[in-house]
Amino acid sequence: MQNTPNHDWTPLHAHLHRTLKERRLLERSQQVLVAVSGGQDSLCLVKLLLDLQPKWGWQLAIAHCNHRWRADADANAEHVQQLAQGWQLPYYQQTAEAVTTSEAAARQWRYKSLTTIAQQYRYTCIVTGHTASDRAETLLYNLMRGSGADGLQALVWERPLTLDIKLVRPLLDVTRAETRQFCQTAQLQIWDDTTNHDLTYARNRIRQELLPYLQTHFNPQAENALSQTAALLQADVEYLEAQAAALLEQAQHADRPGLNRTILQQSALALQRRIMRQFLQQALPCAPNFGHIEKLVSLITAPNRSQTDPFPGGTIAYVEDNWIWLKPASGDDRTN
Amino acid sequence: MQNTPNHDWTPLHAHLHRTLKERRLLERSQQVLVAVSGGQDSLCLVKLLLDLQPKWGWQLAIAHCNHRWRADADANAEHVQQLAQGWQLPYYQQTAEAVTTSEAAARQWRYKSLTTIAQQYRYTCIVTGHTASDRAETLLYNLMRGSGADGLQALVWERPLTLDIKLVRPLLDVTRAETRQFCQTAQLQIWDDTTNHDLTYARNRIRQELLPYLQTHFNPQAENALSQTAALLQADVEYLEAQAAALLEQAQHADRPGLNRTILQQSALALQRRIMRQFLQQALPCAPNFGHIEKLVSLITAPNRSQTDPFPGGTIAYVEDNWIWLKPASGDDRTN
């Protein structure tokens, strides 16, 4: 039996076991696909799950996404495959056809690839090794883009990828220092991602310069503090977005793009802004920004016949008595 | 007339005039006390208000708070007094009896002093020169303390100080670069606060190291982005706190410290957390932290007879059927 319990049952094993139970992240006997890059976080995760496997009865497998970003990408994939063999776990690999140019495109390709593997081999759950450190970094990254609370929450414990497959991040309250320590103790051979050292990537700069600076000069626990804040904001945004969606439903005209001002006037500013964003999202060719939203919010109490400058695509919003209407550019919404 | 309109009507004059009107921050003919440290922000503010004064008919005066923090504190006060004389504005000064040891204590003393002056001389409004840059710094400062959305909003456009006196911050969407530029153009003699160069103060480090770093490496508009985020979070928190307070009212037992679990179970997590914080604030000797709140939230769905570890002061929370009750330590809430 490959998956006999490890005799080194660490506090991190106990912690993950408790997290999975309390948050109901994984079920017993579930088909679990572990996304493994070969870095410390994903190696720590797969080893922990292997050790917990006898208690839970999961069917585990490893998936590796080869972005073909670096010269050592194939060697990296080979390394992960050998680890999978050593653990006698099924191994699946996807290799990018074209080298993606942005982190966002790479992320999209990665989740699509993982979903394809899960669908093909009937895994109901994909787990990734994202940590509290990733959560803190994402918070800082989005904060500097100025996206409000909605951008300040990002990494969640779980979310559905398809109707049948969910994404789970069981290490979201574990720091990168803890996964590194675990890998050392368990003598796992980490594949050092050389792009991590390239400070032209904003995210690596946050990881290697900004967070250490914040820890040194402001708060040794800055990573945890930021990660906790992300968790709190997550719940706030979920609630606010749901409230706004319900109100948009009530305020929206049944037949044409328009909003009832009386209903909006009774809402709090926090909801007005979200209603306007959700409303504009349906009408504009691109995501509405802070300025667009504030312009539309100001129409809620503006005098009759007030109107906005054109939004991207040329659409204009104007007030007619109790309603805010959208008017596509020159009677044609295909103009730019 | 000392307050004839300045012939140099700048875009910043127009901006402030519009802000005051749109946000209804100041009334015509109001008695306005301007808090002036002698630094660029407060000098910019008082000069702008002087130039706008003929349009609004305010009664302006200058207040200076001397913290006695620095060797040049008296000279600084003298400088502000001379400026006030030059502008023919009433000048009021408060001098700290003891040198305060923390920034928080100094802030408290300052607002108390300003309120005392306003009460004595019947000013209905105190204005301060806080800028978008201060707002961004406050956001970063609180973010690193990990206080969730509630700590992430701090500087508001206005808030009541007493029933009759309100605090107004008319420059909250103006950056420090803009006030500096304005002071140069208007040839205002800025008193350079030497403590600003002392990096042992977290706030100065944020101003002089962290923000420039973020602007250089992540976003040249980081200050605006952060300030905007603070404004968005402000509205979110106001709404969420009000919702939570209304629900706490419903869920709370009429006679003893207890919460109805059925009502809480129907609330969103974002509200549950806030209800629990508001509830604990009434019962604990100190502000509840993230951990305390999460413990209490977990009781909402916990089995009957579950209980928490002691909170600070020894109080314990426990479940009895449909209720969460608080039990003071050993029948005595004076223990620690």
Side-chain angles (χ1 to χ4, degrees):
Chain A
M1 288 291 294
Q2 73 275 27
N3 293 342
T4 44
N6 194 302
H7 58 280
D8 293 320
W9 183 261
T10 67
L12 198 54
H13 287 88
H15 177 83
L16 178 60
H17 184 63
R18 203 168 49 237
T19 300
L20 294 176
K21 273 207 303 189
E22 284 179 4
R23 297 192 177 266
R24 290 174 207 143
L25 295 175
L26 296 179
E27 294 160 30
R28 297 190 180 278
S29 312
Q30 195 163 16
Q31 304 277 109
V32 178
L33 186 66
V34 191
V36 177
S37 69
Q40 60 181 51
D41 299 338
S42 59
L43 286 191
C44 171
L45 174 63
V46 70
K47 181 65 169 70
L48 283 168
L49 291 177
L50 268 170
D51 294 345
L52 263 61
Q53 197 269 350
K55 286 186 185 289
W56 289 79
W58 300 309
Q59 300 295 315
L60 296 175
I62 284 179
H64 178 74
C65 295
N66 181 350
H67 291 89
R68 297 171 58 212
W69 250 348
R70 288 166 287 120
D72 64 353
D74 291 338
N76 183 350
E78 178 80 13
H79 176 69
V80 175
Q81 183 166 19
Q82 280 171 8
L83 286 171
Q85 272 173 8
W87 285 319
Q88 298 180 41
L89 293 181
Y91 173 81
Y92 308 103
Q93 183 178 326
Q94 291 268 314
T95 305
E97 290 181 17
V99 177
T100 47
T101 51
S102 76
E103 244 193 289
R107 187 171 50 244
Q108 209 180 353
W109 172 77
R110 203 160 53 235
Y111 282 117
K112 196 167 148 280
S113 300
L114 291 170
T115 305
T116 304
I117 297 170
Q119 280 171 328
Q120 194 171 353
Y121 300 98
R122 300 182 184 280
Y123 289 88
T124 52
C125 180
I126 297 168
V127 297
T128 65
H130 288 102
T131 61
S133 308
D134 291 308
R135 207 177 201 179
E137 289 160 16
T138 303
L139 180 68
L140 284 173
Y141 180 78
N142 288 329
L143 186 72
M144 281 173 298
R145 293 169 48 230
S147 40
D150 304 70
L152 296 189
Q153 45 87 33
L155 294 179
V156 294
W157 287 94
E158 59 175 321
R159 68 178 167 90
L161 287 174
T162 71
L163 281 177
D164 306 317
I165 303 171
K166 70 172 184 170
L167 174 68
V168 172
R169 298 181 173 115
L171 298 185
L172 221 45
D173 60 357
V174 173
T175 64
R176 199 170 290 126
E178 290 175 285
T179 66
R180 190 183 313 118
Q181 180 59 51
F182 180 88
C183 288
Q184 277 171 7
T185 307
Q187 297 184 300
L188 298 175
Q189 211 188 324
I190 297 165
W191 193 272
D192 192 24
D193 183 343
T194 48
T195 58
N196 280 341
H197 301 308
D198 184 347
L199 289 192
T200 60
Y201 294 109
R203 206 169 261 286
N204 290 330
R205 194 181 277 280
I206 291 175
R207 179 176 305 181
Q208 288 169 41
E209 270 187 15
L210 182 53
L211 268 172
Y213 170 84
L214 298 178
Q215 284 160 346
T216 305
H217 294 296
F218 295 100
N219 180 1
Q221 301 296 317
E223 230 173 18
N224 285 325
L226 290 165
S227 168
Q228 218 165 67
T229 295
L232 294 172
L233 290 170
Q234 177 64 36
D236 287 354
V237 170
E238 257 170 41
Y239 172 71
L240 290 166
E241 284 293 311
Q243 293 286 102
L247 269 163
L248 174 60
E249 190 76 20
Q250 279 178 45
Q252 209 158 15
H253 192 273
D255 303 320
R256 43 186 286 227
L259 291 173
N260 185 304
R261 297 210 297 167
T262 312
I263 293 174
L264 295 175
Q265 278 157 17
Q266 291 153 8
S267 312
L269 176 59
L271 297 182
Q272 289 178 343
R273 283 184 176 139
R274 287 187 159 79
I275 292 169
M276 291 318 195
R277 195 187 44 215
Q278 292 179 6
F279 180 65
L280 279 178
Q281 264 165 353
Q282 303 167 5
L284 299 192
C286 60
N289 66 24
F290 182 79
H292 302 144
I293 291 164
E294 295 301 288
K295 264 189 223 167
L296 207 51
V297 165
S298 74
L299 290 191
I300 295 174
T301 53
N304 197 17
R305 291 173 207 285
S306 301
Q307 65 171 46
T308 64
D309 314 327
F311 293 112
T315 297
I316 281 175
Y318 64 98
V319 173
E320 204 175 70
D321 302 321
N322 201 24
W323 291 87
I324 297 170
W325 301 109
L326 290 186
K327 182 172 65 182
S330 15
D332 179 352
D333 55 9
R334 283 172 307 152
T335 47
N336 49 30
Chain B
M1 286 291 292
Q2 74 277 26
N3 293 343
T4 45
N6 194 302
H7 58 282
D8 294 319
W9 183 261
T10 66
L12 199 54
H13 286 89
H15 177 84
L16 178 60
H17 185 62
R18 203 167 51 239
T19 300
L20 293 176
K21 272 206 303 187
E22 285 179 5
R23 296 193 177 265
R24 291 177 205 141
L25 295 176
L26 296 179
E27 295 161 29
R28 295 189 182 279
S29 312
Q30 195 162 15
Q31 303 279 109
V32 178
L33 187 64
V34 191
V36 177
S37 69
Q40 60 181 49
D41 299 338
S42 58
L43 286 192
C44 171
L45 174 63
V46 70
K47 182 65 168 69
L48 284 168
L49 291 177
L50 267 170
D51 294 345
L52 263 61
Q53 197 271 351
K55 287 185 184 291
W56 289 80
W58 300 309
Q59 300 294 314
L60 296 176
I62 284 179
H64 178 75
C65 296
N66 181 349
H67 290 89
R68 296 170 58 210
W69 251 349
R70 289 165 287 121
D72 65 353
D74 292 338
N76 183 348
E78 177 80 12
H79 176 68
V80 175
Q81 182 166 20
Q82 280 172 8
L83 286 171
Q85 272 173 7
W87 286 318
Q88 298 181 40
L89 293 180
Y91 172 81
Y92 308 103
Q93 182 178 328
Q94 291 269 314
T95 305
E97 288 181 19
V99 177
T100 47
T101 49
S102 76
E103 245 193 286
R107 186 169 52 244
Q108 210 181 350
W109 172 77
R110 203 160 54 236
Y111 282 118
K112 195 168 148 282
S113 301
L114 291 170
T115 305
T116 303
I117 296 170
Q119 280 172 330
Q120 193 170 354
Y121 300 98
R122 300 182 184 280
Y123 289 88
T124 52
C125 180
I126 297 167
V127 297
T128 65
H130 288 102
T131 61
S133 307
D134 291 309
R135 207 177 200 179
E137 289 160 16
T138 303
L139 179 68
L140 284 173
Y141 180 79
N142 288 329
L143 186 73
M144 280 171 301
R145 293 169 47 228
S147 39
D150 304 70
L152 296 189
Q153 44 87 35
L155 293 178
V156 294
W157 287 93
E158 59 174 321
R159 68 177 167 91
L161 286 174
T162 71
L163 281 177
D164 307 315
I165 303 171
K166 68 172 184 171
L167 175 68
V168 172
R169 298 182 173 115
L171 299 185
L172 221 45
D173 60 357
V174 173
T175 64
R176 199 170 290 127
E178 290 175 283
T179 66
R180 190 183 313 120
Q181 179 60 51
F182 180 89
C183 287
Q184 277 169 9
T185 308
Q187 296 183 300
L188 298 175
Q189 211 188 324
I190 298 165
W191 193 271
D192 192 24
D193 183 341
T194 47
T195 58
N196 280 341
H197 301 307
D198 185 347
L199 289 191
T200 60
Y201 295 108
R203 207 168 259 286
N204 290 330
R205 194 181 278 278
I206 291 174
R207 178 176 304 180
Q208 289 169 41
E209 270 188 15
L210 181 54
L211 268 172
Y213 170 84
L214 299 178
Q215 284 162 344
T216 306
H217 293 296
F218 295 100
N219 180 1
Q221 301 296 318
E223 228 173 20
N224 284 324
L226 290 166
S227 168
Q228 220 166 66
T229 295
L232 294 173
L233 289 170
Q234 177 64 35
D236 287 355
V237 170
E238 257 169 40
Y239 172 69
L240 290 166
E241 284 293 310
Q243 293 286 102
L247 269 163
L248 175 60
E249 190 77 20
Q250 280 178 44
Q252 208 158 14
H253 192 275
D255 303 320
R256 45 186 283 227
L259 292 173
N260 185 305
R261 297 210 296 168
T262 312
I263 293 175
L264 295 175
Q265 278 158 17
Q266 292 154 5
S267 312
L269 175 59
L271 296 183
Q272 290 177 343
R273 283 184 176 139
R274 287 186 160 78
I275 291 169
M276 290 319 195
R277 198 192 37 216
Q278 292 177 7
F279 180 64
L280 279 178
Q281 264 164 354
Q282 302 166 5
L284 299 192
C286 61
N289 67 24
F290 182 79
H292 301 145
I293 290 164
E294 296 301 287
K295 264 190 224 167
L296 208 51
V297 165
S298 73
L299 289 192
I300 296 175
T301 53
N304 198 15
R305 290 173 208 283
S306 302
Q307 65 171 48
T308 63
D309 313 329
F311 294 112
T315 298
I316 281 175
Y318 64 98
V319 174
E320 204 175 69
D321 302 321
N322 201 24
W323 291 87
I324 297 170
W325 301 111
L326 290 186
K327 183 172 64 181
S330 15
D332 178 353
D333 55 9
R334 283 171 306 151
T335 47
N336 49 32

